[in-house]
Every structure is written in C-alpha cells, then in structure tokens.
Amino acid sequence: MSQRTASRSTRIAVCSAGAAALAIAACTFGVPAKTAQTSGSTVMLQLTPTGTFKPNDGRELKPGAWRIDAASAQHVIERFKARGKVPVIDYEHQTLKKEQNGQPAPAAGWIRDLRWVEGQGLYAVAELTARARDYITAGEYLYFSPVFEYDEITGTVLAIHMGALTNDPGISGMEPLSLVAAATAAFLPSNPPRQELSVNPLLKALLAAFGLPETTTEPQAIAALTALGPLQPLQARAAVATAACTALQLPADATPEAVTAACSSLRSAQPGTPDPAKYVPIETVTALQGQVAALTARQAEADVDALIKPALADGRLLPAMETWARGLGKTDIAALTSFLGAAKPIPALAGTQTGGKPPTGTASGDQQLSADELAICSRMGITPDAYRKAGTAMATGAAA
C-alpha cells in the first residue's frame, strides 16, 4: 500500500521484509536481548544507520537507496517535535495490517524522543511496555523496524511515523535490540549541533530565485510564495519595468533609484525646449531641404549642359533634338549619356559656318534645306544642291 503526502513526492517506508507485501518499504534492526537492563522502561532503539542504506529483501527503490545524515536527521527531529502525536511501537507492523486481517494491534511501546548519534544513525528514545521488555529479555524479539517517510526522488528520510518489534529484518547495518538504560540516553545531546543542510539542487535553485536562504522551512517557503501571488502578474510587471528601462535608456538591471532619478529628470525638463544638441527646428530642416534641392537642380542642369553643348558642336545631336535631350537629361542623365556616347559625329555639321543651323538672311522656300535635310545630306555623302535636285526630280516625277 503506497502512500504519498500532498505537498511533495514522498513515500512511507516500513522497514521489515514481511511488510513488503504491503508495497510499503520495511526496515528492521537487530538486538541482542542479553543487554544490561535498568529499572526504567525507556530504551534506545536504532531507527536508521548513518549515510546510505537499503532494504535486505531486494526491493527496488526509485532513488536507489535511502539516505540520512546529521542535517536531514535534524529536520526529522524537528518534524517529530512539531507533530504533537506520540508514534506507536507495535508487533510486526500489525497497526498497518489490522484493516486487512482484522486482528488487534496492541502497543509494544511509544516513541518519546529522537536522537542523532554521529557515526551510528538516528535513534528513538522509546518507552516499552512490560510485555515488550519481557519479549526482548527472553530473546523472542530481536529486531526493531521503523516506519518512515522519505523523498521519492532523493531517498532522504523525512519523518518517523511508527515502529514495530520484529524478527524479520529488512535493513542492513542496524544494531540488534537492546534495553539500553535511560541514563545512557541522557548522555546523548538532546539538540545535536546543526550542520550544513543537504538541500535538493532544484529546491536550492528555487529558494535562491526567490531570495530565500537554504535553511528556509517548508511553511516559510509556502508563506513566501503565497505572498508573491501568481507568476503571470509578476511577469507582466517585469515586462513593464523592462520597457521603462529601455525608454529611459537605462540597463535592464537598473536599480529602482536609477529609474526614479531618470523619471524625475524628465519631469523637471522645460516643456517645448528640446535639447539643441539632439533636436533641430522643423523650419531649419525645411529650409535646408530646399537649399539642397536647388543645388541638386543646378548641378543637374550643369551636367546636362556639359553633355549637350559638345554634342551640338560635333553633330552628335541636332539642334532640333536639343529640347528633347534636355528633358531626358533632367529625368535620366544616364540615358542621355548613353545616347550621346553611341551617336556618331557629323563632320558636315561640325564644319559649317552656321553650326548646322539654317543661314540667316537667305531666301526661304522650296530651295532652302532644313537642318534635318542637311544632316541627311551629310550622312549620305551628297551635296545640298544634289539633294535639292533629287528632291525636285522626285517631285516632278510624282506630278507627272
């Protein structure tokens, strides 16, 4: 019968092999009965050895073994004292079996206190009944079997629940039962010095994340977590804090004092008076943009002139095409450059006195050639007079 606590992953171990059928671990320790007996009814019974220990019946334990040291034993002792209920010692764990077999479960004694003996283990200061003492004295019971709670992950012993006299041991390394005098127990320290706690690494990391010391008890940790509340609102507030630090140009780990100082500086700044080292009036920017645009236009016009004037002079560009060329240069000077680079000079235009333009002061009419016609003459290698004659002949033929 496996048992778990609600607060953490734990199991109950019953330390005798006979109890294994209950699916509860059982651990038993031996006892020579012929030990000196005192007049008192209090004896020392070993609950666990020190360090790592396993059951003798070959059971598989999820953590591999049980564990206890001075630090974890101190926690067990504190839980025992806080429990307020005296754990029973019975015979053969009958208290755990009575619901199944219906047999009575008489007490053999009661665990009154716990002691940690360095180098030996955890002991119970037990008050035995006269009948139980007789059994031990007569050698009818040789072992004591504790029932303890342990962490299912680490195997660390967490609490002592009860015990039983038995003859079927379940743990190695246990002393046989003995009627040790109560006076002997009095020489053991009631409060062993605390040693460094052996804390589960995950629990240690969680405690550190919440700013709690490793010595924090379970109730203290629960109270601290309850005070923090749900994590989602905390995460939302953390996101707001990070955004504020970013807006204030502060590191993400800025202290509250630094954030407060930055906000105070913003509030104290005069509204409408921006830092001239960081901001420029919009009027200044607009004027500067206009000046840049004008300079760009003048430079573009100069670049177009530098292309068109030589082209007009050497005949690569006809005067009639100048307006078109300038328009092209304003929108795509690269295209104009490409066009003029591919055009071939016209020597006839380059050598005329009029620069390819019709001479002034001459008669106009059918006998006067246009600039385009002169260009055609140049490309065809004929004189203007021959071109006129050819034109006249074609016109006469068409009329006939």
Side-chain angles (χ1 to χ4, degrees), residues 171-254:
I171 295 185
S172 58
M174 298 294 290
E175 290 184 352
L177 284 173
S178 59
L179 296 176
V180 180
T184 305
F187 287 103
L188 298 174
S190 58
N191 293 305
R194 292 183 65 88
Q195 300 184 15
E196 183 179 356
L197 295 178
S198 176
V199 184
N200 181 286
L202 176 59
L203 178 59
K204 183 178 179 179
L206 288 174
L207 291 175
F210 287 106
L212 299 174
E214 292 183 17
T215 55
T216 302
T217 63
E218 184 174 329
Q220 290 172 337
I222 293 174
L225 293 176
T226 302
L228 285 175
L231 289 180
Q232 288 184 346
L234 291 177
Q235 292 172 339
R237 288 197 292 270
V240 171
T242 302
C245 289
T246 302
L248 295 170
Q249 297 182 349
L250 295 174
D253 58 351

Side-chain angles (χ1 to χ4, degrees), residues 242-334:
T242 302
C245 289
T246 302
L248 295 170
Q249 297 182 349
L250 295 174
D253 58 351
T255 63
E257 293 77 12
V259 175
T260 302
C263 292
S264 299
S265 177
L266 286 177
R267 287 198 302 269
S268 62
Q270 291 293 331
T273 310
D275 185 355
K278 297 180 180 180
Y279 304 98
V280 178
I282 188 63
E283 296 83 1
T284 303
V285 175
T286 303
L288 182 61
Q289 290 174 338
Q291 293 173 5
V292 170
L295 289 173
T296 302
R298 285 199 293 271
Q299 183 61 45
E301 186 175 356
D303 292 342
V304 171
D305 282 340
L307 291 172
I308 288 179
K309 286 182 179 179
L312 289 172
D314 62 16
R316 285 177 297 143
L317 185 67
L318 300 177
M321 302 172 66
E322 181 178 356
T323 301
W324 166 81
R326 290 189 179 279
L328 178 62
K330 289 180 180 180
T331 58
D332 191 350
I333 195 169

Side-chain angles (χ1 to χ4, degrees), residues 25-72:
C27 328
T28 314
F29 306 89
V31 237
K34 299 180 173 139
T35 313
Q37 179 176 343
T38 65
S39 57
S41 60
T42 303
V43 297
M44 291 283 290
L45 300 177
Q46 189 179 17
L47 297 171
T48 72
T50 185
T52 301
F53 57 102
K54 296 181 178 181
N56 284 335
D57 54 14
R59 273 168 290 161
E60 292 290 335
L61 298 177
K62 184 176 181 180
W66 296 307
R67 295 172 177 82
I68 190 169
D69 55 17
S72 55

Side-chain angles (χ1 to χ4, degrees), residues 337-379:
T337 302
S338 176
F339 172 78
L340 295 178
K344 298 188 179 300
I346 302 176
L349 293 179
T352 61
Q353 295 180 348
T354 61
K357 296 181 180 179
T360 57
T362 59
S364 60
D366 294 339
Q367 303 302 318
Q368 179 64 40
L369 295 181
S370 65
D372 291 341
E373 290 172 326
L374 290 174
I376 292 172
C377 292
S378 176
R379 292 184 182 278

